[in-house]
Amino acid sequence: MLSQTTLQLLAASLAFTPFAAARDVPAIVRNFYNTVKGQGQCPNKLASGFYAKDNGPGNFAYCQDPKTNVLYLQGTGGALADMDIDCDGRQGGPADDGRCGKSDDTQSITSFADTVRGYKKGISDLDAKIHPYVVFGNAGDKSGFKTFDPQKHGVKPLSVMAVVCGDKLIYGIWGDENGVDGSKSMVGEASISLATACYGKSINGNNGHDQTDVLYIAFPGSEAVPGADGAAWGASNYDAFEKSIRAKGDQLIQRLAGGAGGGSPTTTAGQPKPTCTWIGHCPGDKCSNENDCDQDWVCKNGKCSA
């Protein structure tokens, strides 16, 4: 029989073992991952010349899949992205276990703090220890510094993203951008809560995942944004927040069916052309509002229409 002390320690361990929400990669996502990796490099580059490592090649690019319009990161030779650790945003919150203290470049604010504050959910910014956010896009005005704005390609701030790390699928949000932290434009970074869900608590502020095998997927369109009431922004731990965006993530990954094809996407005024990728939400399907319809289709007379 276990002693009372042992039982107490076990209970405490379970209580503080977050990240149970990571799940096996569904076939639809695994197929997309394998196709992207197998093609070696993306056939449709939106911007290139980025780095995953300071001492590595500058051949990483923001890519767009012409069949699904999703955005992702990829290098050459089958390389995807790595996962550096971001601890920006709210500091010292309820989930702070000290591991971010090892970071030497923590900022006290994330890119979309004003939007988070505007949600009026009791927080002024994202918390890297709670909110599984992806650092996506590159901003800065340094001469020769490569930049990329996902919003010009339909991706909305605080929208749900999918991350494939090893044999896990994690849902996160687009919560921050890569800044001018050094001499090169870097990609491949996520909040410490997302990284811990992927790789466990050996992760800390200065110790991430170096292998370039992580796939970050961004979904254009306003339907990818949970909004003020569509996520538990005021959650006190990762599991509670991730659970709140899971249904949205499950919905979005249906777009990946048959994706990662060659060619160039058709766009209008810089925005992705609407395509029918949601099963049951295509033109002609019944709807009660525009959120029921695929991407930029509208709900007209009770049916989804172009």
Side-chain angles (χ1 to χ4, degrees), residues 64-87:
Q64 186 172 39
D65 177 54
K67 291 184 178 178
T68 65
N69 288 322
V70 301
L71 275 63
Y72 60 95
L73 286 164
Q74 188 169 23
T76 61
L80 299 175
D82 62 349
M83 188 177 288
D84 296 327
I85 307 305
D86 194 82
C87 289

Side-chain angles (χ1 to χ4, degrees), residues 10 55 152 154 205 281:
L10 179 59
N55 59 352
K152 293 182 178 179
H281 297 271

Side-chain angles (χ1 to χ4, degrees), residues 67-151:
K67 291 184 178 178
T68 65
N69 288 322
V70 301
L71 275 63
Y72 60 95
L73 286 164
Q74 188 169 23
T76 61
L80 299 175
D82 62 349
M83 188 177 288
D84 296 327
I85 307 305
D86 194 82
C87 289
D88 293 354
R90 179 187 181 187
Q91 303 298 309
D96 192 346
D97 59 7
R99 286 181 295 137
C100 271
K102 297 182 181 294
S103 175
D104 55 14
D105 63 351
T106 297
Q107 307 294 319
S108 61
I109 190 172
T110 63
S111 295
F112 310 121
D114 287 346
T115 304
V116 174
R117 192 178 303 112
Y119 284 167
K120 301 185 185 304
K121 298 300 179 181
I123 59 172
S124 60
D125 200 354
L126 298 176
D127 187 326
K129 284 78 67 179
I130 295 172
H131 302 104
Y133 64 74
V134 177
V135 183
F136 201 70
N138 291 70
D141 56 7
K142 184 177 180 179
S143 178
F145 190 82
K146 294 279 187 178
T147 61
F148 178 74
D149 184 2
Q151 294 187 68

Side-chain angles (χ1 to χ4, degrees), residues 12-13 15-19 95 97 99 192 195-204 207:
S13 174
F16 290 95
T17 304
F19 320 117
D97 59 7
R99 286 181 295 137
I192 193 168
T196 303
C198 288
Y199 302 111
K201 286 196 171 183
S202 62
I203 295 294
N204 62 54
N207 179 42

Side-chain angles (χ1 to χ4, degrees), residues 199-224:
Y199 302 111
K201 286 196 171 183
S202 62
I203 295 294
N204 62 54
N206 270 341
N207 179 42
H209 176 77
D210 291 335
Q211 287 75 27
T212 50
D213 57 3
V214 181
L215 181 61
Y216 301 93
I217 304 170
F219 302 92
S222 58
E223 69 278 1

